[in-house]
Amino acid sequence: MPSWTAAMIGPDQDFAGAPLLRKEFTLDRGNEQVVRAELHATARGVFTARVDGTPVGDDVLAPGWSSYEWRLRYRTYDVTGLLRAAGPTAVLGVELANGWFRGRLGDTGRRALYGDELGVLAQLEITYDDGHRQTVVTDESWRSGPSAVLANDLYDGQTVDARLVDDSWQRPGFSNAGWVGVHVQDFRHEVLVPRLGPPVVRHEEVRPVRVWTSPAGRTLVDFGQNLVGWMRFAVRGEAGATIAVRHAEVVEGGEIVTRTLRGAQATDRFVLSGGDDRFEPTATFHGFRYAEVTGWPGELTEDSVVAVVVHSDLRRTGTFECSDPALNQLHRNVVWSARGNALDLPTDCPQRAERLGWTGDIALFAPTAAFLFDVRGFLRDWLADLAAEQSRAAGRVPFVVPDVLKYLNVPGWPEQESTAVWGDAAVWVPDALWWAYGDPVVLAEAFDSMAAHVRRVESLLSDTGLWDRGFQFGDWLDPTAPPENPLLAKADPGVVATACLYRSARAVADAARVLERADDAAHFAALADRTRAAFTEHYVREDGTVHSDAVTVYALAICFGLLDEPVRQRAGDRLAALVADNGHRIATGFAGTPFVTEALTRTGHLDDAYRLLLQRERPSWLYAVDMGATTVWERWDALLPDGSVNPGDMVSFNHYAFGAVADWVHRTVGGIAPAAPGYRAVRVAPRPGGSITWARTALDTVHGRVAVDWEVTPDGRFAAEVTVPAGVTAELDLPGVPVHEVGDGTHRFTSTDPVFPAR
């Protein structure tokens, strides 16, 4: 960590919320003598730093969003090459914008929840070949001035006037005419922390697949993929003319749909200079597949614009592909939703006036995320924010992290208290990271937070030992609930909450054993035992019926280990009957969906699990695929069969929660699951079913690549190729092949006799 001497400074004028700040300085030695130069920088707002006009890094929207009250993250940039290329005099410049710090957050319209002033803190440390060190810091000697940005907001978009662009401010010798000074802001350096997760970067470009004129005469662009980012283009037109780009996820009746954005304007505006202009609005972001463009000079074609995909720089680790094109598309949708909702923190959605770090979504999706991407740093960073918020709330995990709801006082919202699934993110996310990466440091960092959550819930239990009091989200967005009230699920909220408490208490006890915290392990194991006993006494009948007799309560009871045989099997049989009676259509919301196929599989109902997975009628995973979805939807029927949008208030077309079924796909269809934390031992147990005749699955673990490639041959035999990395053992449980263990290497197997019907 740097020894900070820099001050947090802000411009003496606001400059439309997008000021430029600069410091011109002389190198103490020749630029060829620079051996190392590092810039440590952060901001109140979002910033781009430059040396003589060249960006110091490839990140955008830095420093991102954290619990600013307690954690303001800085990043260290290696600018050695930029200083060596500089002249004897150089310019350190910074562009500021509102970002999360001062922009709109939530759907109440409120802004500047963290503060009214933008600011930047930067410390440039230069080391020369003779050992001399020079430091350039933000202080009152800096100057500030206007940019070409007239307005900027993450929800509403950005306005740029190209007539005001003047890049000379970035170079030595700029006159500073019309510029003003800066002032030092009150700031506590102890809130500065290094970034743990990867930065937000531009990932790729997506070109339009179609440009057309809508029935209302508007020019619409379809990029063929619901994505997160912005549009970029070069254009030449009349000076003063304005191009407006409005973004949306879907079209209805031939026009883009903006009702679902909850008031987010999602509109970028570009005022032309009369010359050759290039526009890229990097102080905002949008969730969109479609764009409505007005004011374009001449004809807009597929070659005129590109969409720039933006999200945290997560390395892809897991892949899946099979013989079913629709299931492949569902998996692609899960991947795209994971990417779009990983813009610096795990969000619920990336498009409307919300985009918050809802804890329940990532609590359920973490195992899938950790298979698809390396999310170690990404989620560790977010968990640090969760712990910071929780420690100021007496152990209560907020609904969202960072917790802006504490500032918003949303009408109609209950007072925040610990809730099942959402609060359980404090336990389930680090547990998922432990199983994915096997790093006890993650558990050590998170343990106090894990324990505080469960202790808080322990204090909320009724005299029966059940968590059956207070507000619960329950099985949120059960498809049978009315669109206007997603809380009205079939599953009893007390059953859901008590089951979740058992799972969390057991996970905390396990973590305590790993960390050799014997007293904590004993306490939480005893709580888990009491909770299980109370659950059985009050919610479970001898015939296997679980209170409220809903699909979700059986799925949780089975997967969380709350039932003993023979009651467990009876419950599984009842679950299968409910699923079949519903026509193998989805009957679960947030809480039950990640576990229903697993519960069916564990109790011998694999065929029902596949029929549920591959169902095409709504509500189902593949209904959305058949309706053209390219990301996972918030609601099972976000788009109705006639192409109209669900009338509910909450309708996001990019919400990864229901995509958590991909964890079961990876384990059961693909056949890869950890047999020990970090995949130091692997279980390979694919279970073919439905119409799927082959699958290829691979995962880059911390030990190396695990891969399973299987097929059912035309004569019904099972054939597989399994790759195991060095130092890892794999338990192979393959159809038609005796269960056995293998070491590293590539292994090929074919069953001697047919085990499936011939094709």
Side-chain angles (χ1 to χ4, degrees), residues 642-679:
D642 63 0
S644 62
V645 175
N646 187 297
D649 176 56
M650 291 187 318
V651 187
S652 161
F653 292 88
N654 196 347
H655 235 81
Y656 54 55
F658 289 146
V661 70
D663 182 51
W664 180 84
V665 171
H666 300 147
R667 293 167 178 261
T668 305
V669 185
I672 297 177
Y679 293 86

mmCIF file of all heavy atoms in Angstrom, residues 642-679:
data_model
loop_
_atom_site.group_PDB
_atom_site.id
_atom_site.type_symbol
_atom_site.label_atom_id
_atom_site.label_comp_id
_atom_site.label_asym_id
_atom_site.label_seq_id
_atom_site.Cartn_x
_atom_site.Cartn_y
_atom_site.Cartn_z
ATOM 1 N N ASP A 642 -47.798 -14.039 -27.326
ATOM 2 C CA ASP A 642 -48.143 -13.177 -28.464
ATOM 3 C C ASP A 642 -47.084 -12.116 -28.731
ATOM 4 O O ASP A 642 -47.261 -11.248 -29.593
ATOM 5 C CB ASP A 642 -49.504 -12.518 -28.236
ATOM 6 C CG ASP A 642 -49.522 -11.585 -27.023
ATOM 7 O OD1 ASP A 642 -48.475 -11.438 -26.349
ATOM 8 O OD2 ASP A 642 -50.589 -11.012 -26.740
ATOM 9 N N GLY A 643 -45.976 -12.175 -27.990
ATOM 10 C CA GLY A 643 -44.888 -11.225 -28.192
ATOM 11 C C GLY A 643 -44.997 -9.965 -27.365
ATOM 12 O O GLY A 643 -44.107 -9.112 -27.418
ATOM 13 N N SER A 644 -46.057 -9.837 -26.573
ATOM 14 C CA SER A 644 -46.202 -8.669 -25.710
ATOM 15 C C SER A 644 -45.431 -8.871 -24.417
ATOM 16 O O SER A 644 -45.162 -10.006 -23.989
ATOM 17 C CB SER A 644 -47.677 -8.402 -25.409
ATOM 18 O OG SER A 644 -48.258 -9.498 -24.723
ATOM 19 N N VAL A 645 -45.104 -7.762 -23.778
ATOM 20 C CA VAL A 645 -44.307 -7.806 -22.556
ATOM 21 C C VAL A 645 -45.219 -8.018 -21.353
ATOM 22 O O VAL A 645 -46.313 -7.458 -21.273
ATOM 23 C CB VAL A 645 -43.501 -6.501 -22.409
ATOM 24 C CG1 VAL A 645 -42.754 -6.464 -21.076
ATOM 25 C CG2 VAL A 645 -42.513 -6.351 -23.557
ATOM 26 N N ASN A 646 -44.776 -8.855 -20.422
ATOM 27 C CA ASN A 646 -45.510 -9.103 -19.187
ATOM 28 C C ASN A 646 -45.923 -7.775 -18.548
ATOM 29 O O ASN A 646 -45.114 -6.845 -18.455
ATOM 30 C CB ASN A 646 -44.623 -9.910 -18.232
ATOM 31 C CG ASN A 646 -45.346 -10.364 -16.992
ATOM 32 O OD1 ASN A 646 -45.795 -9.566 -16.190
ATOM 33 N ND2 ASN A 646 -45.441 -11.675 -16.821
ATOM 34 N N PRO A 647 -47.184 -7.664 -18.087
ATOM 35 C CA PRO A 647 -47.643 -6.379 -17.554
ATOM 36 C C PRO A 647 -47.089 -6.038 -16.184
ATOM 37 O O PRO A 647 -47.333 -4.937 -15.678
ATOM 38 C CB PRO A 647 -49.163 -6.566 -17.488
ATOM 39 C CG PRO A 647 -49.360 -8.045 -17.320
ATOM 40 C CD PRO A 647 -48.256 -8.668 -18.122
ATOM 41 N N GLY A 648 -46.358 -6.945 -15.541
ATOM 42 C CA GLY A 648 -45.828 -6.676 -14.211
ATOM 43 C C GLY A 648 -44.855 -5.512 -14.193
ATOM 44 O O GLY A 648 -44.281 -5.116 -15.217
ATOM 45 N N ASP A 649 -44.660 -4.957 -13.001
ATOM 46 C CA ASP A 649 -43.757 -3.815 -12.849
ATOM 47 C C ASP A 649 -42.301 -4.235 -13.001
ATOM 48 O O ASP A 649 -41.473 -3.479 -13.490
ATOM 49 C CB ASP A 649 -43.971 -3.167 -11.476
ATOM 50 C CG ASP A 649 -43.002 -2.027 -11.210
ATOM 51 O OD1 ASP A 649 -42.964 -1.096 -12.026
ATOM 52 O OD2 ASP A 649 -42.284 -2.081 -10.194
ATOM 53 N N MET A 650 -41.971 -5.448 -12.561
ATOM 54 C CA MET A 650 -40.598 -5.941 -12.633
ATOM 55 C C MET A 650 -40.460 -6.874 -13.823
ATOM 56 O O MET A 650 -40.892 -8.028 -13.757
ATOM 57 C CB MET A 650 -40.238 -6.723 -11.377
ATOM 58 C CG MET A 650 -40.124 -5.897 -10.120
ATOM 59 S SD MET A 650 -39.487 -6.932 -8.798
ATOM 60 C CE MET A 650 -40.402 -8.436 -9.058
ATOM 61 N N VAL A 651 -39.871 -6.398 -14.891
ATOM 62 C CA VAL A 651 -39.693 -7.244 -16.070
ATOM 63 C C VAL A 651 -38.319 -6.941 -16.665
ATOM 64 O O VAL A 651 -38.157 -6.038 -17.484
ATOM 65 C CB VAL A 651 -40.788 -7.018 -17.126
ATOM 66 C CG1 VAL A 651 -40.642 -8.056 -18.238
ATOM 67 C CG2 VAL A 651 -42.180 -7.104 -16.516
ATOM 68 N N SER A 652 -37.342 -7.699 -16.211
ATOM 69 C CA SER A 652 -35.995 -7.591 -16.762
ATOM 70 C C SER A 652 -35.763 -8.761 -17.709
ATOM 71 O O SER A 652 -36.155 -9.889 -17.417
ATOM 72 C CB SER A 652 -34.961 -7.616 -15.638
ATOM 73 O OG SER A 652 -33.676 -7.942 -16.128
ATOM 74 N N PHE A 653 -35.093 -8.496 -18.794
ATOM 75 C CA PHE A 653 -34.747 -9.545 -19.744
ATOM 76 C C PHE A 653 -33.279 -9.959 -19.604
ATOM 77 O O PHE A 653 -32.736 -10.614 -20.484
ATOM 78 C CB PHE A 653 -35.062 -9.096 -21.173
ATOM 79 C CG PHE A 653 -36.539 -8.962 -21.424
ATOM 80 C CD1 PHE A 653 -37.194 -7.766 -21.161
ATOM 81 C CD2 PHE A 653 -37.279 -10.027 -21.890
ATOM 82 C CE1 PHE A 653 -38.560 -7.633 -21.366
ATOM 83 C CE2 PHE A 653 -38.646 -9.914 -22.105
ATOM 84 C CZ PHE A 653 -39.297 -8.712 -21.844
ATOM 85 N N ASN A 654 -32.658 -9.555 -18.498
ATOM 86 C CA ASN A 654 -31.264 -9.943 -18.243
ATOM 87 C C ASN A 654 -31.084 -10.084 -16.740
ATOM 88 O O ASN A 654 -30.677 -9.152 -16.053
ATOM 89 C CB ASN A 654 -30.303 -8.909 -18.822
ATOM 90 C CG ASN A 654 -28.892 -9.439 -18.941
ATOM 91 O OD1 ASN A 654 -28.556 -10.479 -18.378
ATOM 92 N ND2 ASN A 654 -28.047 -8.737 -19.666
ATOM 93 N N HIS A 655 -31.411 -11.276 -16.237
ATOM 94 C CA HIS A 655 -31.450 -11.565 -14.807
ATOM 95 C C HIS A 655 -30.947 -12.993 -14.633
ATOM 96 O O HIS A 655 -31.611 -13.924 -15.050
ATOM 97 C CB HIS A 655 -32.897 -11.486 -14.328
ATOM 98 C CG HIS A 655 -33.146 -10.555 -13.196
ATOM 99 N ND1 HIS A 655 -33.300 -9.194 -13.378
ATOM 100 C CD2 HIS A 655 -33.290 -10.766 -11.868
ATOM 101 C CE1 HIS A 655 -33.545 -8.619 -12.212
ATOM 102 N NE2 HIS A 655 -33.535 -9.562 -11.274
ATOM 103 N N TYR A 656 -29.807 -13.208 -14.008
ATOM 104 C CA TYR A 656 -29.225 -14.547 -14.084
ATOM 105 C C TYR A 656 -29.800 -15.562 -13.108
ATOM 106 O O TYR A 656 -29.490 -16.754 -13.187
ATOM 107 C CB TYR A 656 -27.714 -14.511 -13.931
ATOM 108 C CG TYR A 656 -27.144 -13.813 -12.706
ATOM 109 C CD1 TYR A 656 -27.525 -14.152 -11.418
ATOM 110 C CD2 TYR A 656 -26.162 -12.841 -12.859
ATOM 111 C CE1 TYR A 656 -26.972 -13.536 -10.315
ATOM 112 C CE2 TYR A 656 -25.588 -12.221 -11.763
ATOM 113 C CZ TYR A 656 -26.000 -12.571 -10.490
ATOM 114 O OH TYR A 656 -25.438 -11.960 -9.400
ATOM 115 N N ALA A 657 -30.634 -15.165 -12.165
ATOM 116 C CA ALA A 657 -31.016 -16.061 -11.069
ATOM 117 C C ALA A 657 -31.565 -17.395 -11.546
ATOM 118 O O ALA A 657 -31.150 -18.459 -11.071
ATOM 119 C CB ALA A 657 -32.031 -15.362 -10.158
ATOM 120 N N PHE A 658 -32.503 -17.397 -12.480
ATOM 121 C CA PHE A 658 -33.078 -18.658 -12.945
ATOM 122 C C PHE A 658 -32.084 -19.464 -13.789
ATOM 123 O O PHE A 658 -32.320 -20.645 -14.059
ATOM 124 C CB PHE A 658 -34.352 -18.398 -13.743
ATOM 125 C CG PHE A 658 -35.520 -17.938 -12.900
ATOM 126 C CD1 PHE A 658 -36.452 -17.047 -13.398
ATOM 127 C CD2 PHE A 658 -35.678 -18.401 -11.605
ATOM 128 C CE1 PHE A 658 -37.528 -16.631 -12.620
ATOM 129 C CE2 PHE A 658 -36.748 -17.981 -10.811
ATOM 130 C CZ PHE A 658 -37.674 -17.092 -11.318
ATOM 131 N N GLY A 659 -30.988 -18.840 -14.164
ATOM 132 C CA GLY A 659 -29.936 -19.568 -14.867
ATOM 133 C C GLY A 659 -29.081 -20.418 -13.963
ATOM 134 O O GLY A 659 -28.181 -21.130 -14.431
ATOM 135 N N ALA A 660 -29.370 -20.402 -12.642
ATOM 136 C CA ALA A 660 -28.600 -21.217 -11.708
ATOM 137 C C ALA A 660 -28.755 -22.708 -11.972
ATOM 138 O O ALA A 660 -27.979 -23.515 -11.453
ATOM 139 C CB ALA A 660 -29.013 -20.897 -10.265
ATOM 140 N N VAL A 661 -29.740 -23.094 -12.789
ATOM 141 C CA VAL A 661 -29.873 -24.503 -13.168
ATOM 142 C C VAL A 661 -28.637 -24.994 -13.912
ATOM 143 O O VAL A 661 -28.381 -26.205 -13.997
ATOM 144 C CB VAL A 661 -31.139 -24.720 -14.027
ATOM 145 C CG1 VAL A 661 -30.968 -24.085 -15.415
ATOM 146 C CG2 VAL A 661 -31.480 -26.199 -14.150
ATOM 147 N N ALA A 662 -27.850 -24.084 -14.448
ATOM 148 C CA ALA A 662 -26.638 -24.486 -15.161
ATOM 149 C C ALA A 662 -25.686 -25.259 -14.251
ATOM 150 O O ALA A 662 -24.903 -26.085 -14.736
ATOM 151 C CB ALA A 662 -25.936 -23.273 -15.754
ATOM 152 N N ASP A 663 -25.753 -25.033 -12.953
ATOM 153 C CA ASP A 663 -24.908 -25.817 -12.042
ATOM 154 C C ASP A 663 -25.256 -27.295 -12.146
ATOM 155 O O ASP A 663 -24.362 -28.159 -12.198
ATOM 156 C CB ASP A 663 -25.086 -25.309 -10.607
ATOM 157 C CG ASP A 663 -24.203 -26.046 -9.613
ATOM 158 O OD1 ASP A 663 -22.989 -26.150 -9.861
ATOM 159 O OD2 ASP A 663 -24.743 -26.537 -8.595
ATOM 160 N N TRP A 664 -26.548 -27.610 -12.184
ATOM 161 C CA TRP A 664 -26.971 -29.007 -12.359
ATOM 162 C C TRP A 664 -26.587 -29.512 -13.742
ATOM 163 O O TRP A 664 -26.174 -30.666 -13.895
ATOM 164 C CB TRP A 664 -28.484 -29.120 -12.156
ATOM 165 C CG TRP A 664 -29.020 -30.505 -12.322
ATOM 166 C CD1 TRP A 664 -29.052 -31.490 -11.373
ATOM 167 C CD2 TRP A 664 -29.592 -31.074 -13.502
ATOM 168 N NE1 TRP A 664 -29.617 -32.636 -11.888
ATOM 169 C CE2 TRP A 664 -29.963 -32.413 -13.199
ATOM 170 C CE3 TRP A 664 -29.841 -30.593 -14.781
ATOM 171 C CZ2 TRP A 664 -30.559 -33.261 -14.126
ATOM 172 C CZ3 TRP A 664 -30.441 -31.431 -15.723
ATOM 173 C CH2 TRP A 664 -30.789 -32.750 -15.390
ATOM 174 N N VAL A 665 -26.700 -28.678 -14.753
ATOM 175 C CA VAL A 665 -26.308 -29.070 -16.104
ATOM 176 C C VAL A 665 -24.832 -29.456 -16.133
ATOM 177 O O VAL A 665 -24.442 -30.491 -16.699
ATOM 178 C CB VAL A 665 -26.607 -27.943 -17.105
ATOM 179 C CG1 VAL A 665 -26.011 -28.256 -18.478
ATOM 180 C CG2 VAL A 665 -28.121 -27.723 -17.227
ATOM 181 N N HIS A 666 -23.989 -28.648 -15.507
ATOM 182 C CA HIS A 666 -22.554 -28.943 -15.493
ATOM 183 C C HIS A 666 -22.262 -30.254 -14.769
ATOM 184 O O HIS A 666 -21.426 -31.054 -15.207
ATOM 185 C CB HIS A 666 -21.788 -27.814 -14.809
ATOM 186 C CG HIS A 666 -21.941 -26.489 -15.472
ATOM 187 N ND1 HIS A 666 -21.948 -25.304 -14.778
ATOM 188 C CD2 HIS A 666 -22.127 -26.151 -16.783
ATOM 189 C CE1 HIS A 666 -22.109 -24.301 -15.617
ATOM 190 N NE2 HIS A 666 -22.216 -24.790 -16.836
ATOM 191 N N ARG A 667 -22.955 -30.502 -13.660
ATOM 192 C CA ARG A 667 -22.684 -31.670 -12.837
ATOM 193 C C ARG A 667 -23.300 -32.943 -13.416
ATOM 194 O O ARG A 667 -22.659 -33.995 -13.436
ATOM 195 C CB ARG A 667 -23.250 -31.456 -11.426
ATOM 196 C CG ARG A 667 -22.569 -30.380 -10.616
ATOM 197 C CD ARG A 667 -23.394 -30.023 -9.378
ATOM 198 N NE ARG A 667 -22.749 -29.033 -8.541
ATOM 199 C CZ ARG A 667 -22.062 -29.307 -7.441
ATOM 200 N NH1 ARG A 667 -21.919 -30.561 -7.047
ATOM 201 N NH2 ARG A 667 -21.509 -28.350 -6.726
ATOM 202 N N THR A 668 -24.547 -32.837 -13.865
ATOM 203 C CA THR A 668 -25.313 -34.032 -14.196
ATOM 204 C C THR A 668 -25.324 -34.331 -15.686
ATOM 205 O O THR A 668 -25.143 -35.483 -16.093
ATOM 206 C CB THR A 668 -26.749 -33.896 -13.667
ATOM 207 O OG1 THR A 668 -26.705 -33.605 -12.265
ATOM 208 C CG2 THR A 668 -27.544 -35.161 -13.914
ATOM 209 N N VAL A 669 -25.526 -33.327 -16.504
ATOM 210 C CA VAL A 669 -25.449 -33.543 -17.946
ATOM 211 C C VAL A 669 -23.982 -33.612 -18.363
ATOM 212 O O VAL A 669 -23.547 -34.558 -19.035
ATOM 213 C CB VAL A 669 -26.191 -32.447 -18.725
ATOM 214 C CG1 VAL A 669 -26.197 -32.773 -20.221
ATOM 215 C CG2 VAL A 669 -27.615 -32.278 -18.208
ATOM 216 N N GLY A 670 -23.215 -32.617 -17.937
ATOM 217 C CA GLY A 670 -21.800 -32.593 -18.290
ATOM 218 C C GLY A 670 -20.980 -33.621 -17.548
ATOM 219 O O GLY A 670 -20.076 -34.243 -18.110
ATOM 220 N N GLY A 671 -21.265 -33.766 -16.255
ATOM 221 C CA GLY A 671 -20.590 -34.806 -15.487
ATOM 222 C C GLY A 671 -19.430 -34.355 -14.640
ATOM 223 O O GLY A 671 -18.669 -35.186 -14.137
ATOM 224 N N ILE A 672 -19.238 -33.052 -14.415
ATOM 225 C CA ILE A 672 -18.097 -32.570 -13.629
ATOM 226 C C ILE A 672 -18.591 -31.954 -12.331
ATOM 227 O O ILE A 672 -19.403 -31.019 -12.336
ATOM 228 C CB ILE A 672 -17.279 -31.531 -14.415
ATOM 229 C CG1 ILE A 672 -16.676 -32.160 -15.678
ATOM 230 C CG2 ILE A 672 -16.180 -30.940 -13.543
ATOM 231 C CD1 ILE A 672 -15.910 -31.180 -16.535
ATOM 232 N N ALA A 673 -18.099 -32.453 -11.207
ATOM 233 C CA ALA A 673 -18.425 -31.905 -9.899
ATOM 234 C C ALA A 673 -17.218 -32.063 -8.989
ATOM 235 O O ALA A 673 -16.438 -33.011 -9.138
ATOM 236 C CB ALA A 673 -19.635 -32.627 -9.297
ATOM 237 N N PRO A 674 -17.042 -31.148 -8.037
ATOM 238 C CA PRO A 674 -15.919 -31.309 -7.099
ATOM 239 C C PRO A 674 -16.204 -32.417 -6.100
ATOM 240 O O PRO A 674 -17.289 -32.482 -5.519
ATOM 241 C CB PRO A 674 -15.846 -29.938 -6.413
ATOM 242 C CG PRO A 674 -17.253 -29.419 -6.473
ATOM 243 C CD PRO A 674 -17.824 -29.925 -7.762
ATOM 244 N N ALA A 675 -15.235 -33.294 -5.889
ATOM 245 C CA ALA A 675 -15.322 -34.288 -4.827
ATOM 246 C C ALA A 675 -14.593 -33.808 -3.585
ATOM 247 O O ALA A 675 -14.702 -34.419 -2.517
ATOM 248 C CB ALA A 675 -14.729 -35.614 -5.297
ATOM 249 N N ALA A 676 -13.848 -32.731 -3.737
ATOM 250 C CA ALA A 676 -13.151 -32.089 -2.621
ATOM 251 C C ALA A 676 -13.023 -30.612 -2.980
ATOM 252 O O ALA A 676 -13.056 -30.240 -4.156
ATOM 253 C CB ALA A 676 -11.768 -32.707 -2.405
ATOM 254 N N PRO A 677 -12.906 -29.733 -1.984
ATOM 255 C CA PRO A 677 -12.796 -28.303 -2.282
ATOM 256 C C PRO A 677 -11.668 -28.011 -3.265
ATOM 257 O O PRO A 677 -10.572 -28.572 -3.181
ATOM 258 C CB PRO A 677 -12.518 -27.685 -0.901
ATOM 259 C CG PRO A 677 -13.159 -28.636 0.061
ATOM 260 C CD PRO A 677 -12.929 -29.996 -0.527
ATOM 261 N N GLY A 678 -11.956 -27.130 -4.210
ATOM 262 C CA GLY A 678 -10.975 -26.735 -5.201
ATOM 263 C C GLY A 678 -10.736 -27.757 -6.288
ATOM 264 O O GLY A 678 -9.790 -27.629 -7.058
ATOM 265 N N TYR A 679 -11.576 -28.780 -6.350
ATOM 266 C CA TYR A 679 -11.428 -29.848 -7.349
ATOM 267 C C TYR A 679 -10.085 -30.571 -7.221
ATOM 268 O O TYR A 679 -9.553 -31.069 -8.196
ATOM 269 C CB TYR A 679 -11.587 -29.298 -8.772
ATOM 270 C CG TYR A 679 -12.977 -28.803 -9.098
ATOM 271 C CD1 TYR A 679 -13.362 -27.498 -8.779
ATOM 272 C CD2 TYR A 679 -13.904 -29.629 -9.729
ATOM 273 C CE1 TYR A 679 -14.639 -27.037 -9.074
ATOM 274 C CE2 TYR A 679 -15.183 -29.171 -10.032
ATOM 275 C CZ TYR A 679 -15.543 -27.882 -9.696
ATOM 276 O OH TYR A 679 -16.804 -27.420 -9.988
#
